[in-house]
Amino acid sequence: MAPAPILMTVEDYFTKTPETVKPTELIYGLLRAADSPSPRHQQAVLRLALALSAHVEKHQLGQIWLAPLDVVLDERRALIVQPDLFFVSNDNAGIVKDRVRGAPDLVIEVLSPFPRIGSTDERIRWFMQYGVRECWLLHQDQRSVQVLRFEPAGYRREAYIASHVDVARDQRIESAVLPGFSMTLDDILD
């Protein structure tokens, strides 16, 4: 019988693990680490960050943040994630301290065919449970994005935009948490 894994606290995670640019998360006390992302993944993250940051700064809405940056969703249960990108509104700015301690308003995950850390469904449940208002899932291989809006009863897929489908090429990504944001996936990625 294998020994039980050693569980870490949030304090252990912050004081006993080395600083790294590799994706590293603490999931209910278990440390998860992954290889660094691919250049293609990072290119998509950069383009999204530039587009969103320009909009957020122009309208003085808050701040866009990039991984690796720890987001403590539940300190007591030792749940720390590192979304690829996230937005914290001015109204929610108090969560940004020594770390981000609370749910961002918007989380964006750039997905690969094989998730680097955990499952996408698991992450969506956490985002919904801990108060993220909206989540975008960018599927690189499908060249598509899903916009999920979280509500008390669960989440609803607000939009599915695929730039490889001629009918949807001009469909704009709009956000309930970023007033006035409206761009196509091609505008962002190309």
Side-chain angles (χ1 to χ4, degrees), residues 23-25 41 45 65-73 80-87 100 102-104 106-110 116-117 123 127 132 135-136:
T24 306
E25 298 181 334
H41 177 277
V45 170
W65 297 94
L66 294 161
L69 183 60
D70 294 320
V71 175
V72 182
L73 291 177
I80 301 172
V81 295
Q82 291 183 351
D84 289 317
L85 272 164
F86 58 94
F87 165 70
V100 178
L106 168 67
V107 167
I108 301 171
E109 295 282 9
V110 177
R116 292 186 330 256
I117 297 182
R123 297 175 79 76
F127 297 150
V132 172
C135 177
W136 298 3

Side-chain angles (χ1 to χ4, degrees), residues 138-139 141-146 159-173 184-186 189:
L138 175 65
H139 301 267
D141 288 348
Q142 300 167 6
R143 200 160 163 96
S144 65
V145 66
Q146 290 181 29
Y160 177 80
I161 299 158
S163 71
H164 68 281
V165 179
D166 289 339
V167 174
R169 283 191 89 79
D170 295 331
Q171 190 174 0
R172 303 184 87 63
I173 302 169
T184 68
L185 194 53
D186 285 346
L189 296 180

Side-chain angles (χ1 to χ4, degrees), residues 18 22 29-30 39 47 57 66 68 74 84 94 96 98 105 111 114 119 130 138 141 144 153 158 160 162:
K22 283 187 160 190
L30 293 174
R47 289 180 189 258
E57 287 177 18
L66 294 161
D74 189 330
D84 289 317
V96 180
D98 62 324
D105 297 275
L111 305 176
F114 306 102
S119 79
Y130 288 100
L138 175 65
D141 288 348
S144 65
E158 190 65 24
Y160 177 80

Side-chain angles (χ1 to χ4, degrees), residues 83-101:
D84 289 317
L85 272 164
F86 58 94
F87 165 70
V88 177
S89 67
N90 290 328
D91 292 342
N92 201 16
I95 69 170
V96 180
K97 300 173 183 179
D98 62 324
R99 304 288 196 271
V100 178
R101 295 182 181 271

